[in-house]
Structures are given as C-alpha cells and as structure tokens.
Amino acid sequence: RSGAIVQGHAMIRRLVTFLQRYMPGFEHAYLLQEASMLGIRESWRLVGKYVLTEDDYTKQARFQDGVARGDWYIDVHSATKGLFHQNTYRDGDYYEIPYRSMVCDEVNNMVGAGRCISATFLMQASVRIIPTCIDMGQAAGEACAHAQATGVQLNAIDGAVLRAEMQYRG
C-alpha cells in the first residue's frame, strides 16, 4: 500500500503543477491537503431481500419500508467508459432506501448500513456517501431497538412499521 500512496501523491503533485502552469486562473492555486491513506470505494455487499438499483435512482423510488433517503449522484470511475455521472436530481429530489436492502434472509439478526447494503455496483456509488450512511446507521439502530423491545429478529421486522416509528420520533 505504501507504494500506491507514494504513486498517488506523485500523480496529485503532477496534476497541481499542470494546473498552475497551463490553466488560466490556477497560477496561484496550491494544494492544501492530501489524503494520508488510500480509501476503498467499493466493498462486499449483502444480497438482501431487495436489491436497490440505478433504476430506483432514476425513478426516485419510494418504498413502504423506506427508512433512509439518498440524493447523491451515481459517481463511478470506469476504465472503459470514462467518468459516469448520472446527476439528474434537483434540490429536494431523492430516492428512498428500503429496510429490505439492509437485511437478508440468510442471517436473522444482522442489519447492514453503508456501502455494504444490498445494491448494484452503480447504485452503491450513490448510497456510500457519508450523510446517507449516517441515515442508514440511524435506521439500523432504530431496528435494533425495535428488535430488542419486541423480540422480533432483525430480518423479520416489518420495515413499514419501523418507518412509521422513525417518523413518529421525527
């Protein structure tokens, strides 16, 4: 990894130098900070009771068990197709993340939040954004509290009931 970090920092410095020399308006620009470690954009995802897709993004999908909202564009870097951005949202637009995408049939008392939820590769590029992950984390915590209070396993919780409880607490 350290070799990749060194290579990445060298690439950043080349880009900054290029911008300063050849892009009008960047003559006095400078780099304030570099990441100290590599970040991972994608990881394993569970296959949940519902797989969230880019079609859900496009349609601004709503679900009876929607427990979180997402509004970030689909941000994917592709070696063959360049940079893919599907940014069709305006202020106030969003899609919902159903509770079913956070649980699976195979493991009773596991709930996922963040980039590991049940979503396609492209959709994961939208759901992995920190504010959306925070909202999913809140929903996961609410689900755990509900499971503890009712004795219902996490993957058996009715997401619509969970949604209603969350909205009640607002």
Side-chain angles (χ1 to χ4, degrees):
R1 283 189 180 235
S2 61
I5 293 170
V6 169
Q7 181 182 6
H9 287 181
M11 292 168 68
I12 291 168
R13 285 190 291 280
R14 280 196 308 271
L15 179 59
V16 169
T17 300
F18 172 83
L19 292 171
Q20 290 169 333
R21 287 184 186 166
Y22 301 108
M23 294 297 290
F26 281 85
E27 298 85 2
H28 302 290
Y30 60 93
L31 180 63
L32 183 63
Q33 186 176 2
E34 295 176 334
S36 59
M37 60 179 20
L38 292 177
I40 298 171
R41 291 177 64 94
E42 184 176 357
S43 60
W44 290 96
R45 297 182 301 274
L46 66 93
V47 178
K49 293 182 176 196
Y50 183 85
V51 179
L52 200 61
T53 70
E54 49 279 4
D55 192 46
D56 294 320
Y57 174 94
T58 302
K59 292 180 179 176
Q60 297 184 31
R62 303 297 194 267
F63 301 94
Q64 289 183 341
D65 65 336
V67 293
R69 293 179 178 180
D71 63 358
W72 195 256
Y73 59 90
I74 294 176
D75 176 18
V76 176
H77 301 269
S78 169
T80 57
K81 296 183 180 178
L83 192 61
F84 177 89
H85 283 218
Q86 183 171 346
N87 190 4
T88 59
Y89 281 14
R90 297 185 188 133
D91 284 345
D93 289 348
Y94 63 92
Y95 59 88
E96 290 182 339
I97 298 168
Y99 181 69
R100 291 168 292 149
S101 290
M102 299 171 63
V103 293
C104 64
D105 287 321
E106 292 76 20
V107 182
N108 294 332
N109 278 316
M110 178 183 74
V111 59
R115 67 181 180 213
C116 65
I117 70 164
S118 183
T120 63
F121 169 77
L122 288 176
M123 195 59 185
Q124 191 228 27
S126 176
V127 302
R128 67 179 172 223
I129 305 307
I130 290 173
T132 306
C133 291
I134 290 169
D135 291 346
M136 286 186 277
Q138 177 70 34
E142 296 275 352
C144 290
H146 178 88
Q148 182 69 30
T150 62
V152 176
Q153 296 178 336
L154 287 169
N155 70 345
I157 291 174
D158 181 339
V161 170
L162 180 63
R163 174 191 176 112
E165 288 177 0
M166 292 173 62
Q167 288 177 337
Y168 174 73
R169 285 193 278 288

